[in-house]
């Protein structure tokens, strides 16, 4: 799911891009997330008059209004569970000037509360629908079974969350440490771990986590410029290590390659995607790095590696034909 301004769309390999219908004669919509089974897209759309914006879901292409918490008729859906049954987002509650986070299930929108006076954004939901994460009054939170707890490092005053595991047991994000520095953290089963304890850069972001919560990736930088950042990977066994260092030590030829940001990781923790510099040109990358079984398996996409792969496959097919 995605957007071709100003319209929410879906894409499939069979059908290509298909526009999703606006709600009630509106002329603007945004798709923010899609369920793992592909049936449900969530986001928001305006109405025919264009004055109100509603959280909506599209189920097999049919749009419906999720409603609101009863305040100003403005709501947004940000994420959806794997089977499409649980949706989270923000809405105004009655007599409130701040937005509240909501959890929607079976047609009922529930206010999940807040950590104080200020806006609350329910940004992501675990795949099983049990756990909501987001930000409230400038602090990252985890909500489960009616209880919202703040997630930040000891001494910190502000934080933000980035991802939650499918079962909701692990949340990652970034927090100040009370000394003016930003650190990446992992919250797992009630224990907060500083993933970058020696970091002094002002920008440190944990961006993705494996399904079991044991592998975390992210990036560190002195500013947001790509040339001033570095991609990293963290496990309890290795600590926080640059992706460039991990691959070079595993024997991957890193000549002319500098991996700058790690943005996503596969559920099994083996594949990492992000952005890097390949001979000074900005390119997306895909890394495989697996040290779970003792022996390290490592590889990296690059023009040369792709050509070698194609050549190898061609030779194999030629041999089979012969």
């Amino acid at each position: 799911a995605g957007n071709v301004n100003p319209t929410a769309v879906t894409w499939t390999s069979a059908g290509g891009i298909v526009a999703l219908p606006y709600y009630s004669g509106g002329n603007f919509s945004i798709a923010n997330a899609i369920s793992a089974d592909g049936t449900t897209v969530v986001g928001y759309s305006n109405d025919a008059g264009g004055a109100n914006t509603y959280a909506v879901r599209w189920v097999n292409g049919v749009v419906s209004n999720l409603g609101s918490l009863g305040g100003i008729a403005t709501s947004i859906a940000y994420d959806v569970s794997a089977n499409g049954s649980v949706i989270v987002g923000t809405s105004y509650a009655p007599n409130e000037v701040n937005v509240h986070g909501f959890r929607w299930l079976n047609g009922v929108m529930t206010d999940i509360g807040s950590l104080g006076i200020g806006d609350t954004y329910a940004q992501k939901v675990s795949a099983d629908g049990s756990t909501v994460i987001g930000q409230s009054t400038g602090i990252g939170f985890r909500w489960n079974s009616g209880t919202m707890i703040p997630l930040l490092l000891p001494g910190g005053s502000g934080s933000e969350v980035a991802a939650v595991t499918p079962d909701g047991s692990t949340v990652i994000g970034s927090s100040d440490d009370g000394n003016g520095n930003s650190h990446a953290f992992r919250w797992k089963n009630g224990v907060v771990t500083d993933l970058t304890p020696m970091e002094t850069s002002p920008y440190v972001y944990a961006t993705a986590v494996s399904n079991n919560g044991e592998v975390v990736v992210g990036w560190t930088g002195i500013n947001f410029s790509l040339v001033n950042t570095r991609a990293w990977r963290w496990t309890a066994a290795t600590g926080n290590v640059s992706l460039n260092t991990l691959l070079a030590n595993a024997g991957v030829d890193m000549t002319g390659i500098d991996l700058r940001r790690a943005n996503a990781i596969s559920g099994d923790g083996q594949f990492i995607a992000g952005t890097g510099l390949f001979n000074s040109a900005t390119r997306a990358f895909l890394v495989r790095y697996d040290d779970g079984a003792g022996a390290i398996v490592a590889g990296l996409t690059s023009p040369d590696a792709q050509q070698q792969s194609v050549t190898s496959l061609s030779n194999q097919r030629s041999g089979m034909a012969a």
Side-chain angles (χ1 to χ4, degrees):
N3 305 285
V4 178
N5 276 341
T7 305
V9 301
T10 56
W11 176 93
T12 64
S13 58
I17 293 177
V18 176
L20 294 171
Y22 300 121
Y23 170 70
S24 188
N27 60 5
F28 179 85
S29 62
I30 292 290
N32 284 326
I34 187 170
S35 59
D37 62 10
T39 62
T40 305
V41 178
V42 301
Y44 58 96
S45 178
N46 63 0
D47 58 13
N52 300 315
T53 300
Y54 299 99
V56 297
R57 67 169 180 164
W58 293 268
V59 179
N60 295 320
V62 179
V63 65
S64 60
N65 185 353
L66 300 181
S68 72
L69 293 174
I72 301 172
T74 297
S75 56
I76 297 174
Y78 287 120
D79 199 15
V80 59
S81 63
N83 65 3
S85 64
V86 178
I87 300 169
V88 299
T90 60
S91 173
Y92 285 96
N95 305 315
E96 287 282 348
V97 297
N98 298 112
V99 293
H100 290 210
F102 72 76
R103 180 177 183 266
W104 183 97
L105 175 65
N106 296 327
V108 178
M109 183 179 287
T110 302
D111 189 334
I112 64 172
S114 71
L115 297 175
I117 299 174
D119 291 328
T120 298
Y121 299 92
Q123 297 166 313
K124 295 181 182 295
V125 63
S126 58
D128 65 6
S130 66
T131 304
V132 183
I133 65 171
Q135 193 168 36
S136 178
T137 66
I139 298 174
F141 71 80
R142 176 184 184 267
W143 179 98
N144 182 278
S145 301
T147 300
M148 180 182 291
I149 61 171
L151 302 180
L152 70 173
L153 294 171
S157 59
S159 63
E160 57 185 80
V161 292
V164 58
T165 53
D167 63 359
S169 65
T170 304
V171 180
I172 61 162
S174 302
S175 167
D176 73 273
D177 63 353
N179 296 314
N181 299 316
S182 172
H183 288 208
F185 72 84
R186 180 188 72 164
W187 181 97
K188 184 169 185 177
N189 296 324
V191 178
V192 177
T193 302
D194 188 340
L195 306 185
T196 51
M198 305 303 294
E199 189 57 64
T200 58
S201 297
Y203 302 105
V204 184
Y205 293 99
T207 56
V209 60
S210 61
N211 285 352
N212 63 5
E214 294 302 313
V215 185
V216 182
V217 296
W219 60 273
T220 298
I222 59 175
N223 56 39
F224 288 98
S225 173
L226 192 67
V227 297
N228 293 316
T229 61
R230 69 171 179 86
W232 52 259
R233 174 184 182 269
W234 178 94
T235 68
T238 64
N240 187 290
V241 185
S242 162
L243 272 184
N244 297 295
T245 300
L246 285 175
L247 293 172
N249 290 344
V252 177
D253 183 1
M254 299 297 290
T255 303
I257 299 172
D258 201 353
L259 308 183
R260 294 296 189 171
R261 294 187 183 181
N263 297 323
I265 192 169
S266 59
D268 62 8
Q270 291 192 31
F271 295 90
I272 301 166
T275 309
L277 298 177
F278 288 71
N279 295 318
S280 300
T282 302
R283 296 288 185 267
F285 70 77
L286 179 65
V287 159
R288 184 186 184 194
Y289 190 87
D290 180 19
D291 57 0
I296 295 175
V297 177
L300 169 69
T301 56
S302 69
D304 289 342
Q306 292 170 18
Q307 185 58 54
Q308 290 171 10
S309 179
V310 171
T311 300
S312 175
L313 183 59
S314 175
N315 291 339
Q316 181 185 27
R317 295 296 173 86
S318 297
M320 291 171 63

